[in-house]
Amino acid sequence: MYLLSLMSLPAFDNCHVFFWQVGLRVVHICLPEGSSKDEIVNEILRLNEDPNVQGLALDLPESSYSSKVLNAVKPEKDVDGLSDVNLGRLVRGDAYDCLVYPTACAVMELLEDLDGKMVLLVGADGALGASLHCLLQRRGATTASCQWKSRELQNKLHHADVVVVGSTKPDDVPVSWIKPGTTIINCSRDLLSGKHNCGQQNNHAAENAVCSLAVAMRMQNMVKNTERWIQSQQFRKWDLRCLKLQPLSPVPSDIEISRAQSPKAVDVLAKEIGLLTDEIEIYGQTKAKVRLSLLERLKDQPDGKYVLVAGITPTPLGEGKSTVTIGLVQALTAHLNINSFACLRQPSQGPTFGVKGGAAGGGYAQVIPMEEFNLHLTGDIHAITAANNLLAAAIDARILHESTQSDKALYNRLVPVVNGVRGFSPIQFARLRRLGINKTDPGTLTEEEISKFVRLDIDPSTITWQRVVDTNDRFLRKITVGQANTEKGFVRQAQFDIAVASEIMAILALTNSLEDMKERLGKMVVANDKKGEPVTAEDLGVTGALAVLMKDAIKPTLMQTLEGTPVFVHAGPFANIAHGNSSVLADKIALKLVGEKGFVVTEAGFGADIGMEKFFNIKCRASGLVPSVVVLVATVRALKMHGGGPNVTAGAPLKKEYTEENLQLVADGCCNLQKQIQITQLFGVPVVVALNVFKTDSPAEIDLVCEIAKQSGAFDAVPCNHWSDGGRGAVKLAQAVEKAANQKNSFKYLYSLELPIVEKIRIIAQKVYGAQDIELSPAAQSQIDRYTRQGFGDLPICMAKTHLSLSHQPERKGVPTGFILPISDVRASIGAGFIYPLVGTVSAEHST
């Protein structure tokens, strides 16, 4: 631990031995003589922000002790108790929260029975005077203060039982004014620095006693401050002030509800849930990035319970998984007083401005402010866009340069002479090792080695890395690049994908640390060379640049629900060509913050057959976390569709079958719910069905769904009204989840990574989707062979399939059987760490 003493006087060095003996590391900063108050304040402010400084003691010339200087020290680092905040706490009687001026403590140690005695403070101003008044009066003494030149000095000295001298006694004040037997304590010198201010040389023993005690009291303050700092590093019980909801009927629009609620300041929320001030980076009033250092601080803190919200096969309208997620945490924390955290994906601007809209939840179960959540947030998607497009630019530039320059010219560009010296960079050393060239001097490479080093020989027809933009811009889906004359005829067809489809987004969601992210970024395969070998971002030498662009995006963003409970928003990979889950890091941080009895609730995209399966087989493998409960969201509307109801189309009014009671349609459609429960049971995790209730659902329909769900193996099935009632409408769901989390958990993965790629695909197709078998196209088989040969065969599988059916055909509802699942192609996200087969007509072109 560091404790810094900001001093312009050297005597404090004599006390260092004492601090070392109590285990404190003290750094003595001696400012130049004559430093201005502004210079002193600037140094204090620098030390305030240094997380390695746990305490700050000031020993300055008396003229420098101004209110501006004393109050510049953060109260929690003010070991001498000189700031107004610490003095105010002392006056209020908050002894635990304040540190008391050491000289005042020393005086109190020397005085014994004070009850009923008159104590006169002469020339004791500022912190010393204020502290002594409080402390003496609490010991039963009557206090008075006086200056040396006061006309009442002689009279007050005559009646005093104890005199505390705070400044040098003038020569014209005779000692005879003090009545015999009076106790005199002399504090008239700077006791902590050893500087004498008084001319008298008598009573040295008493002075030395006060001096020694003051130093001891400062040490005690430092130890107390250190103990408080150590305690602050431990897990703390939440002191959360929830926000009140007053639901209206009919329920207003989402944006009206969001704007009607006044969110807490995010720094207040952070403090309530145990985050330290140096662990957050505030973005405005309602958002903050949380630093990954928290994981190290709370590494020994047991994790809370881990809950996944998944769903049945949805209608095109969605069935409310995000709303259930928010409603559940509002119920757990605001109504059951259980620590909980929601972890959600950041929405893409494409769907937000499209038919789907935002992803902040809905009704009285939302993340607020809604606009902040849905638009820009803290810029993570923009960072991904910048990193992705930097890599795309590097690919084309490298092809151009290799096609127009000699080996020597390329070598001189890649390994330039700087100040007369040529040297390889660390990333170039890594490339040399991969090429089997064990040389460190650039001047010793042979012509053949130079050629191997400088030429990636990218085959343009194999480039899989596309540029991205976070807008639905259909005219960028196919483009031609290289039209300018400066590109010397290097023209090729390319495309823009939606930004969240970038592999960098999937990496952000699956990474465990900054180092892990950098390693994953380097592994990204962007093309093949002309020999059929993979070319990576590491080969292009841009890994460091990509990591720098992503250095802030790796930190989760803290927000809050309508009821003031905490939410992490981080990462937003699609659930078809990627795994469709929020970040591992957000989950890990939240699991530490909620404590052993708390809950972290996260959501998986699409139905359980897609998002949940990927959560278990991909995300849980990457994180090492074990889920406690699955909440399976269903709606009467979707079940009627699976029971044979008419098509549901986004933007079109629902047919009467969906707005009128129809028990037969519901019963027939429950086959899909039963299948999704069975899929969950494959992984050995308890499942609670959350029936998201709509106003058109009849009591009989609701009861029927809950009964069938429980008969089909669900731990419980609960109707939920959080959309209209907030957390209060999901209390029964929260209670069911809490009970289910205490059940025996036998979590297991669906397949072993060591199995061949084809076999892993087959297991998912048969056990999850219910397919009879799979059928590989020649292109798919060729890619599988290539990835196996390249050493990627032990990666998990991320199936890119329609979310509107268990099969590959969106129109087949319910539980299709007997179908052959066609695999049209197979692609790989090597950095993210998965193989993604394309099922049926699903395309790898992630449209903008």
Side-chain angles (χ1 to χ4, degrees):
M1 152 169 182
Y2 289 85
L3 275 163
L4 282 84
S5 178
L6 180 61
M7 306 166 61
S8 58
L9 300 171
F12 191 64
D13 287 340
N14 299 329
C15 302
H16 278 194
V17 63
F18 297 111
F19 297 119
W20 280 108
Q21 287 174 345
V22 295
L24 302 179
R25 181 177 181 184
V26 179
V27 177
H28 175 186
I29 297 178
C30 189
L31 295 179
E33 190 173 351
S35 294
S36 68
K37 290 180 182 179
D38 286 341
E39 289 171 329
I40 295 170
V41 167
N42 287 338
E43 182 67 13
I44 291 171
L45 295 177
R46 182 185 71 80
L47 298 172
N48 280 344
E49 300 308 314
D50 188 341
N52 293 316
V53 177
Q54 285 81 45
L56 186 55
L58 301 180
D59 282 280
L60 305 166
E62 190 170 347
S63 60
S64 297
Y65 279 109
S66 67
S67 176
K68 179 180 179 180
V69 170
L70 297 178
N71 288 308
V73 182
K74 277 187 175 180
E76 61 268 25
K77 296 188 178 186
D78 176 21
V79 296
D80 284 338
L82 295 171
S83 67
D84 289 349
V85 172
N86 269 316
L87 289 173
R89 288 170 178 167
L90 176 62
V91 171
R92 290 196 307 270
D94 299 337
Y96 176 79
D97 288 331
C98 73
L99 293 171
V100 182
Y101 187 46
T103 303
C105 291
V107 171
M108 298 306 297
E109 285 291 320
L110 291 172
L111 296 174
E112 295 181 352
D113 183 18
L114 289 171
D115 195 26
K117 291 187 177 180
M118 166 61 73
V119 179
L120 179 64
L121 309 180
V122 184
D125 299 320
L128 176 62
S131 302
L132 283 173
H133 274 296
C134 290
L135 296 172
L136 289 165
Q137 288 172 11
R138 285 182 197 152
R139 290 269 295 272
T142 301
T143 62
S145 60
C146 191
Q147 297 301 320
W148 288 113
K149 294 186 178 181
S150 171
R151 294 179 179 179
E152 300 177 354
L153 177 62
Q154 182 176 359
N155 182 52
K156 288 186 177 183
L157 285 171
H158 182 71
H159 289 92
D161 300 305
V162 178
V163 176
V164 178
V165 178
S167 60
T168 304
K169 182 181 80 63
D171 293 338
D172 59 351
V173 176
V175 177
S176 60
W177 285 7
I178 302 174
K179 69 179 181 181
T182 299
T183 301
I184 303 173
I185 296 182
N186 189 356
C187 305
S188 63
R189 66 177 191 169
D190 189 343
L191 297 168
L192 293 173
S193 68
K195 179 180 177 182
H196 288 261
N197 293 326
C198 57
Q200 289 82 358
Q201 297 299 316
N202 58 344
N203 205 18
H204 278 277
E207 288 180 3
N208 288 335
V210 177
C211 178
S212 299
L213 277 173
V215 172
M217 292 300 106
R218 173 180 267 181
M219 290 172 59
Q220 191 175 70
N221 276 0
M222 288 183 168
V223 172
K224 180 178 179 181
N225 210 51
T226 305
E227 290 173 343
R228 288 192 339 196
W229 177 82
I230 292 172
Q231 187 176 13
S232 75
Q233 301 300 298
Q234 309 304 311
F235 171 78
R236 285 181 288 172
K237 185 175 176 8
W238 285 13
D239 183 22
L240 194 69
R241 176 183 64 85
C242 293
L243 303 177
K244 298 296 182 184
L245 275 186
Q246 294 180 327
L248 301 176
S249 183
V251 176
S253 68
D254 291 349
I255 191 67
E256 288 175 308
I257 293 172
S258 175
R259 290 178 174 174
Q261 183 65 288
S262 297
K264 292 179 284 189
V266 72
D267 59 329
V268 173
L269 173 63
K271 185 176 181 181
E272 289 175 344
I273 62 175
L275 285 163
L276 306 182
T277 53
D278 60 0
E279 290 174 339
I280 61 170
E281 299 169 6
I282 295 176
Y283 285 64
Q285 295 296 312
T286 57
K287 300 172 294 185
K289 285 285 193 182
V290 175
R291 293 174 178 164
L292 307 188
S293 57
L294 178 143
L295 289 171
E296 176 63 24
R297 175 170 70 87
L298 296 181
K299 63 183 178 181
D300 297 324
Q301 165 66 27
D303 288 346
K305 305 291 186 182
Y306 196 26
V307 180
L308 175 70
V309 176
I312 65 170
T313 304
T315 68
L317 306 177
E319 310 317 309
K321 294 191 303 298
S322 298
T323 310
V324 169
T325 300
I326 301 304
L328 176 54
V329 294
Q330 288 181 180
L332 283 165
T333 301
H335 298 271
L336 298 181
N337 199 29
I338 298 171
N339 291 355
S340 72
F341 233 111
C343 291
L344 298 178
R345 288 181 291 169
Q346 179 184 355
S348 164
Q349 184 176 298
T352 296
F353 285 103
V355 175
K356 181 181 181 296
Y364 287 100
Q366 289 190 57
V367 181
I368 58 172
M370 175 182 170
E371 306 98 305
E372 299 288 335
F373 178 92
N374 284 319
L375 303 175
H376 302 299
L377 199 63
T378 46
D380 294 355
I381 292 179
H382 302 314
I384 288 166
T385 301
N388 184 100
N389 292 346
L390 174 66
L391 179 53
I395 295 168
D396 286 328
R398 187 60 174 263
I399 295 173
L400 174 67
H401 290 312
E402 288 188 21
S403 66
T404 58
Q405 297 184 44
S406 66
D407 291 349
K408 182 178 179 181
L410 286 170
Y411 194 57
N412 289 336
R413 281 173 173 261
L414 290 169
V415 194
V417 176
V418 179
N419 296 325
V421 178
R422 172 179 278 181
F424 292 121
S425 66
I427 199 168
Q428 289 174 334
F429 277 123
R431 174 158 172 77
L432 288 168
R433 287 193 295 271
R434 288 196 302 275
L435 293 171
I437 302 172
N438 298 313
K439 294 181 179 179
T440 58
D441 183 355
T444 61
L445 267 65
T446 66
E447 290 186 1
E448 182 183 357
E449 289 170 337
I450 288 175
S451 182
K452 286 174 63 177
F453 175 76
V454 301
R455 295 199 176 274
L456 299 180
D457 280 332
I458 295 171
D459 180 353
S461 67
T462 67
I463 294 174
T464 56
W465 196 264
Q466 307 297 344
R467 290 166 173 82
V468 299
V469 62
D470 199 38
T471 304
N472 285 340
D473 189 343
R474 63 187 309 119
F475 287 92
L476 293 178
R477 293 175 184 176
K478 286 294 178 186
I479 61 171
T480 302
V481 297
Q483 296 282 356
N485 292 333
T486 53
E487 273 46 78
K488 302 177 182 178
F490 173 61
V491 178
R492 70 179 183 91
Q493 190 177 76
Q495 66 190 53
F496 270 83
D497 294 340
I498 195 78
V500 294
S502 170
E503 185 178 348
I504 297 176
M505 175 62 88
I507 287 173
L508 177 66
L510 289 170
T511 193
N512 284 284
S513 66
L514 186 60
E515 295 75 20
D516 178 50
M517 181 178 72
K518 186 175 179 180
E519 183 180 343
R520 288 173 178 268
L521 290 171
K523 290 180 179 178
M524 294 186 301
V525 174
V526 299
N528 290 324
D529 64 20
K530 292 173 182 176
K531 295 179 181 177
E533 295 303 314
V535 177
T536 66
E538 185 83 358
D539 291 323
L540 285 157
V542 297
T543 307
L546 301 181
V548 167
L549 287 171
M550 294 293 293
K551 68 180 178 63
D552 292 318
I554 197 173
K555 304 164 192 171
T557 299
L558 176 67
M559 294 188 75
Q560 63 194 282
T561 67
L562 278 167
E563 299 193 51
T565 66
V567 178
F568 273 143
V569 189
H570 199 213
F574 276 174
N576 48 12
I577 48 83
H579 62 292
N581 289 268
S582 61
S583 79
V584 165
L585 282 170
D587 291 355
K588 284 190 169 184
I589 293 174
L591 285 164
K592 295 298 183 186
L593 285 172
V594 297
E596 192 170 7
K597 296 183 179 179
F599 286 80
V600 172
V601 184
T602 189
E603 172 200 348
F606 295 156
D609 57 305
I610 299 178
M612 183 190 72
E613 181 271 316
K614 295 175 182 180
F615 173 86
F616 289 144
N617 284 319
I618 298 175
K619 185 176 180 180
C620 288
R621 286 186 200 269
S623 68
L625 299 173
V626 176
S628 307
V629 184
V630 169
V631 173
L632 190 63
V633 178
T635 62
V636 168
R637 176 182 68 196
L639 293 172
K640 286 181 175 178
M641 178 191 71
H642 289 297
N647 288 338
V648 176
T649 305
L654 289 171
K655 302 289 176 56
K656 65 180 181 62
E657 287 85 352
Y658 296 104
T659 57
E660 298 174 359
E661 183 179 284
N662 192 322
L663 295 177
Q664 188 59 52
L665 272 182
V666 173
D668 291 344
C670 278
C671 61
N672 187 270
L673 173 61
Q674 292 170 311
K675 173 62 176 175
Q676 302 286 11
I677 292 172
Q678 291 167 11
I679 294 170
T680 307
Q681 292 171 333
L682 290 173
F683 298 92
V685 181
V687 57
V688 173
V689 171
L691 183 62
N692 200 8
V693 175
F694 287 61
K695 62 183 180 181
T696 54
D697 300 344
S698 74
E701 289 173 331
I702 293 169
D703 291 343
L704 177 61
V705 174
C706 292
E707 184 60 32
I708 291 175
K710 285 185 275 191
Q711 290 175 355
S712 302
F715 175 81
D716 204 349
V718 184
C720 305
N721 294 284
H722 45 273
W723 182 81
S724 57
D725 297 334
R728 180 164 51 87
V731 167
K732 289 184 178 179
L733 173 63
Q735 291 169 333
V737 167
E738 184 183 14
K739 291 177 183 177
N742 293 320
Q743 299 299 302
K744 182 180 178 181
N745 188 322
S746 55
F747 173 68
K748 56 183 177 294
Y749 300 121
L750 186 64
Y751 53 79
S752 168
L753 292 180
E754 285 70 36
L755 290 173
I757 293 175
V758 172
E759 189 57 31
K760 286 182 282 194
I761 297 172
R762 181 175 285 112
I763 289 173
I764 296 172
Q766 293 178 334
K767 292 189 175 182
V768 177
Y769 307 151
Q772 181 178 329
D773 203 350
I774 63 172
E775 182 179 63
L776 300 174
S777 72
Q781 184 63 63
S782 175
Q783 286 290 73
I784 289 173
D785 293 341
R786 171 177 289 174
Y787 293 140
T788 302
R789 185 180 68 255
Q790 292 175 342
F792 305 139
D794 60 351
L795 294 177
I797 303 301
C798 181
M799 301 287 277
K801 182 186 76 70
T802 178
H803 62 290
L804 298 174
S805 172
L806 284 164
S807 74
H808 58 288
Q809 298 168 300
E811 68 277 6
R812 296 188 67 178
K813 306 301 181 182
V815 182
T817 58
F819 60 93
I820 304 296
L821 194 74
I823 309 299
S824 58
D825 202 353
V826 176
R827 301 292 176 86
S829 292
I830 304 303
F834 52 73
I835 304 289
Y836 61 98
L838 305 178
V839 179
T841 58
V842 170
S843 172
E845 297 177 359
H846 329 305
S847 298
T848 54

